[in-house]
DNA sequence: ATAATGAAAGTCAATATTAGTCAAAGATTA
DNA sequence: TAATCTTTGACTAATATTGACTTTCATTAT
C-alpha cells in the first residue's frame, strides 16, 4: 500500500544503499532505466528528497563518464551546527524542508521524538492557517530559528 | 437502525477495517467509486467522523500515488482537560495568557520543562514577529491549540 | 592546439494525477 | 418551519511525470 509512486520507490532504493555505504554514485540514465522513468525524474527525486535539509550532499558531473553522487552528511558533526542550520533555513522554509530539518535534529539526538513532534505541529501548514504562503513560510522559519537559538542556550 | 445514509455506511466501512488494522490507507477516488459518491464526500465523512476528538489521526498526500491515511490513536486521560483549555483559548490568546496556560500544563505534569520552554519560544511575540497584534494573538492560539490537540494522544 | 562530436547531466515548463475547499442545493430531524 | 446534516460539483492546491531544450565535459578528428 505504501509508496505507490515511483519517486518514493527510487528514494527508498537510494536510501537503502546509503544505509550500508558512505555514499551512492549512480549513472542517471541507468537508474532511470532500472525504474522505467525518464532521466530527469531522477533529478526530481534528488531535488525533493535529498536536500541539504535532509542531510544529503549531492555532486555530479556531466559529459562522458558523468555521474551523480549522493552523500549522507552529519549536519551536527561540527560545533556550530545550529548556525549552519539557521543559515540553511534563512528567512523562509517550506513545510517539507522543515520536516527534513526537524528529522535531522531528531536523528542526531538534538531533539527527542516528542519535541520533534511538537515543533512539527507548531509549524504545520494547517496549524498556522494563514493563506499567504510567503507569510506562512517566513513564520515557520522564525519559529524554528527561535527554537534553535533557544536550544543553544540550553545545552 | 435509523438513517443509513451513505456517509454513515462509509464511516462503518472504514471503521470495520480499523477494527483489525492499525490504520487504513485509501485512494479517495476508489472509495468514492465503491460507494458511488463524489470524491469530496470522503472528505466530509472524514471531517465529521474521524476527528482527533474521536481518536483518529488523518494524513494525506496529493499527486501521483496520493492517499488518505486514517489512524486510530490512544487518547490519554488528560484529553478532556485539554479540551477545556482549547475552549478557553478560543481563536486568540495573548502572550501573558499563553504563559499561564503553559505554566499550568507544566505544573500538571503534562509538559516537562523543556517542552514548556519550546512552546513559549515558538509563541513568543518576537519569534512570531508580526506587527498586527490580532494576527499575533490568533497565531499563538492556533499554535497552542495545535499542540494541545497533539498532546491528546500518545505517538 | 583546436574544432567537432558525442555522451552525459541540468533546467524548466507542460501535463497528469491526485486530494482539499467551499458554498449551494437537497434531505432529514426537532 | 427552522435548524442541522448530507450530497454535489466547480474550483483550487499539491505532487508527480514527461520531454524538449540546454549545458558541461571527454574524446576524437583536423
Amino acid at each position: 500500500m505504501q509508496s505507490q509512486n515511483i519517486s518514493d520507490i527510487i528514494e527508498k532504493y537510494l536510501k537503502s544503499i546509503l544505509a550500508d555505504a558512505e555514499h551512492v554514485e549512480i549513472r542517471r540514465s541507468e537508474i532511470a532505466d532500472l525504474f522505467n522513468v525518464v532521466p530527469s525524474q531522477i533529478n526530481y527525486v534528488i531535488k525533493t528528497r535529498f536536500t541539504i535539509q535532509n542531510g544529503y550532499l549531492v555532486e555530479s558531473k556531466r559529459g562522458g563518464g558523468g555521474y551523480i553522487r549522493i552523500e549522507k552528511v552529519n549536519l551536527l558533526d561540527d560545533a556550530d551546527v545550529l548556525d549552519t542550520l539557521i543559515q540553511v533555513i534563512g528567512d523562509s522554509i517550506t513545510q517539507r524542508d522543515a520536516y527534513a530539518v526537524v528529522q535531522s535534529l531528531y536523528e542526531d539526538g538534538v531533539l527527542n521524538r516528542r519535541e520533534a513532534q511538537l515543533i512539527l505541529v507548531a509549524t504545520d501548514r494547517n496549524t498556522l492557517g494563514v493563506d499567504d504562503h510567503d507569510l506562512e513560510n517566513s513564520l515557520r522559519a522564525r519559529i524554528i530559528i527561535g527554537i534553535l537559538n533557544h536550544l543553544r542556550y540550553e545545552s
Side-chain angles (χ1 to χ4, degrees), chain A:
Chain A
M1 305 306 165
Q2 202 82 320
S3 61
Q4 280 303 280
N5 69 65
I6 305 216
S7 291
D8 284 343
I9 294 171
I10 296 172
E11 172 192 5
K12 289 210 175 84
Y13 171 76
L14 294 174
K15 287 188 174 168
S16 77
I17 297 177
L18 281 167
D20 301 331
E22 280 295 303
H23 60 90
V24 216
E25 192 168 304
I26 63 170
R27 174 143 312 180
R28 188 179 71 155
S29 57
E30 273 178 13
I31 301 299
D33 280 353
L34 187 56
F35 292 97
N36 259 291
V37 297
V38 296
S40 63
Q41 179 144 10
I42 308 305
N43 297 86
Y44 174 74
V45 171
I46 287 171
K47 198 173 172 190
T48 53
R49 291 148 163 92
F50 293 88
T51 65
I52 184 61
Q53 287 90 348
N54 275 295
Y56 296 95
L57 273 185
V58 179
E59 61 176 43
S60 62
K61 199 167 76 168
R62 308 188 191 188
Y67 60 85
I68 299 177
R69 177 194 160 105
I70 306 175
E71 183 184 358
K72 175 81 174 147
V73 294
N74 189 348
L75 290 176
L76 301 177
D77 262 354
D78 62 285
D80 32 34
V81 211
L82 295 179
D83 284 331
T84 310
L85 274 183
I86 288 172
Q87 283 214 345
V88 165
I89 294 170
D91 60 5
S92 177
I93 187 171
T94 63
Q95 179 163 347
R96 182 184 230 152
D97 285 343
Y99 185 90
V101 165
V102 172
Q103 173 87 9
S104 296
L105 289 168
Y106 167 66
E107 281 170 4
D108 289 318
V110 176
L111 300 170
N112 65 33
R113 176 172 232 99
R114 226 171 106 100
E115 291 158 354
Q117 293 286 334
L118 283 190
I119 296 171
L120 290 179
V121 169
T123 58
D124 185 89
R125 182 160 41 227
N126 293 313
T127 299
L128 297 177
V130 296
D131 26 341
D132 178 353
H133 264 208
D134 289 343
L135 175 59
E136 176 198 318
N137 289 338
S138 81
L139 277 170
R140 184 178 294 113
R142 298 183 66 92
I143 292 171
I144 293 181
I145 287 176
I147 288 173
L148 292 184
N149 277 324
H150 171 73
L151 290 175
R152 152 180 292 142
Y153 297 120
E154 251 220 337
S155 48

